[in-house]
Amino acid sequence: MKNKIIILVLIFLVVVSISSVNHPNSYVLSRISPNSATFPIRVFFWGDNRNSCSTCTDGDIIFMDMLEEIEESQIPVSFAISNGDLVLSGYDFQYENYISMIDRVNFPIFNVKGNHELYADNGPENYQKYFGDDHFNFTYGPLFISLFPDCFQLPETTSWGHKIDYTIKQEDIDQLQNDLNNLGPEIKYRLFFTHVPIQIDGAASHYDSYCIYYNYHQSEIDQLRNIFESNNFQVVGFSHWHDYDLFKYNGIHYVLAGGAGAPLYHDANKPSYDPPNYAELNHYVVFTFDRYGGILLQVILLNRNGIPDNNYTIRINSSTTGNPPSKIDSLRIFDTKWKGQYTLSWFATGENGITGSAESYIVKYANKPIKTEADFNNALTIPQNPVWQPQEAGAYEEHSIEMPTDLNDTYYFAIRAIDTEGQKSDISNNTILVPKSYIKRAFPNPFNSKKNRFFEVTIVPSKKTDVEFNLYTVNGRCVYSDTKSGNIGEELNFSWDGKNKTKMVAAGIYFYTVKIDTEILKGKAAFIQ
């Protein structure tokens, strides 16, 4: 299929009538820009989230839980790749169900065509309608990514019992090579994703069991392999087979990720659990790239509820030496059941970029965001007793801290890693602690609707939940009510214009309550004519 490297720009593109955030793929591309990439870059990768039958929801449950967990983890996602078998058969209602799930999350998701998208007669047309072209190559910062089709629908049922043709088209190979030829020197990383594994001669012996031979021609396979090796691809990703596998051949890491919800497969010739090389569990994969050439692969193994149960890290490429640790961008804080005690967590960075382990950490907090060197230097230091020992890059870390029990403000935390040469990482993301919800301001008070258009109450919630605001007369009659979604530490405004629906209320004292989960805040306002 004729295609060009897409120059990503921030445009708004409407292709279908359904409002969308993660379809079609051309719109997903418009959400990211080559020049907006910040380090570390994280690419999430999974495949095969489909249900097991037309009346089942088993795949949907695991997949939706997985998406929500990724969203709630607050770990930055540069973009994600859903690598085929998005739906069971390719019917329109199945696509609409899938879209309703991926459009509930905020991070960008590219959607690759698999064989199950094509079983319905109009499956290819439906994929085209919702996601657009099935082959596209693009750049993101120093990354080149190829999303490559290898499943097509035939006009008649074949000898193997369906209309699916597993093949590689010469025109797609030619376009891939042409786009690679036009890359500039700023591209350091090259990644290739397709749904069905291709045969890799000389690879681990068990790998051949994944490969589909139906209409694959050795000449096209050889061309692809030569492209991978001559262009220094670091990662080739497959799905289709419902488990996780990893092996390295001729310098390239081949990753199979097919456990995002579809029924898992069992291979009697392999152990069912041998991470980080192999696992028959639901999972997704995260690739992390730093600015110094380092690449980490993390496989996140999920429990039956789609929630991470364990994770394993493999270094695909080492960062160049002499560089500082990479920025930590996964810092989070959690409350505990003990008053004044909290837990900080993050994924470790390295001694050089994301390679090795740092020498030490320094953690600061303040009652304002910590963004600059001056902010960090002026913030208060969290004591470490005993001193925290950094883990290998990619490892999950958590440490307990103690804070005063009488805190009544919003606090911001940041961390930096330090290497053996004293070089420091960039300041991390800020994680926010609001020990308890509070009213930041209620203004103006007294309130005169002729002089001031609104009486405004600003709330700072201590958790992510709905916030309910009610305003009452002295006799307990509610004259105004509103509910909004609140996020921890983010200001939320409620405005009252002095009316009970459309009628101006009488002058006097009014009381308001703010309900945030189990917390109740109260205040009063004087309304004058």
Side-chain angles (χ1 to χ4, degrees), residues 211-503:
C211 302
I212 304 298
Y213 296 91
Y214 296 129
N215 200 23
Y216 272 17
H217 299 293
Q218 192 63 44
S219 61
E220 281 110 12
I221 292 176
D222 290 343
Q223 287 183 73
L224 273 183
R225 289 174 51 201
N226 289 335
I227 286 175
F228 298 157
E229 294 173 16
S230 63
N231 289 274
N232 299 316
F233 274 74
Q234 292 93 353
V235 172
V236 173
F238 302 128
S239 298
H240 189 66
W241 195 264
H242 302 170
D243 58 23
Y244 161 80
D245 206 348
L246 170 69
F247 68 91
K248 183 178 181 181
Y249 179 67
N250 282 358
I252 300 168
H253 284 78
Y254 292 88
V255 185
L256 190 145
L264 297 171
Y265 291 163
H266 174 65
D267 189 329
N269 297 320
K270 297 191 291 292
S272 61
Y273 188 76
D274 183 28
N277 301 307
Y278 180 80
E280 293 172 2
L281 288 173
N282 295 114
H283 63 276
Y284 61 89
V285 171
V286 183
F287 300 104
T288 303
F289 305 84
D290 70 16
R291 66 175 72 248
Y292 313 117
I295 309 174
L296 291 181
L297 178 153
Q298 290 173 286
V299 54
I300 315 296
L301 303 178
L302 309 174
N303 62 23
R304 293 182 180 273
N305 297 318
I307 306 301
D309 195 45
N310 215 333
N311 76 84
Y312 297 86
T313 302
I314 289 178
R315 182 180 301 110
I316 290 181
N317 204 49
S318 295
S319 309
T320 54
T321 59
N323 292 299
S326 283
K327 172 183 175 180
I328 294 171
D329 64 349
S330 52
L331 183 65
R332 298 177 69 191
I333 191 166
F334 303 91
D335 201 352
T336 68
K337 62 182 180 180
W338 293 281
K339 191 173 183 180
Q341 295 189 10
Y342 302 90
T343 298
L344 286 173
S345 73
W346 61 90
F347 286 102
T349 186
E351 168 79 4
N352 293 290
I354 52 175
T355 299
S357 57
E359 177 71 12
S360 62
Y361 294 122
I362 182 169
V363 183
K364 298 287 193 88
Y365 76 98
N367 60 359
K368 64 177 184 178
I370 304 173
K371 300 296 185 182
T372 66
E373 287 288 337
D375 294 337
F376 195 85
N377 293 335
N378 293 331
L380 298 174
T381 301
I382 296 290
Q384 304 173 26
N385 187 20
V387 174
W388 303 341
Q389 182 61 49
Q391 303 299 303
E392 187 78 11
Y396 177 80
E397 294 195 47
E398 62 177 37
H399 295 278
S400 296
I401 64 170
E402 292 188 2
M403 298 290 290
T405 57
D406 58 348
L407 296 176
N408 58 357
D409 203 347
T410 299
Y411 291 89
Y412 301 81
F413 293 76
I415 185 173
R416 301 180 84 171
I418 306 172
D419 66 14
T420 53
E421 301 298 322
Q423 298 182 103
K424 297 177 182 178
S425 66
D426 290 339
I427 299 168
S428 75
N429 65 298
N430 284 197
T431 188
I432 301 173
L433 169 65
V434 182
K436 57 184 178 182
S437 303
Y438 62 94
I439 299 171
K440 186 168 184 177
R441 58 181 168 266
F443 181 84
N445 198 1
F447 164 51
N448 184 331
S449 62
K450 294 179 181 179
K451 294 182 179 180
N452 311 106
R453 190 175 178 187
F454 294 105
F455 169 65
E456 188 170 85
V457 178
T458 302
I459 311 299
V460 181
S462 63
K463 58 189 67 177
K464 183 178 180 179
T465 186
D466 286 342
V467 178
E468 182 181 335
F469 180 88
N470 292 288
L471 190 139
Y472 303 90
T473 67
V474 292
N475 296 322
R477 182 169 60 90
C478 184
V479 296
Y480 177 76
S481 181
D482 193 10
T483 300
K484 297 182 178 182
S485 297
N487 287 314
I488 180 171
E490 295 183 6
E491 294 184 6
L492 194 63
N493 295 318
F494 292 92
S495 300
W496 178 51
D497 60 3
K499 296 178 181 179
N500 181 1
K501 296 183 179 178
T502 59
K503 185 179 179 181

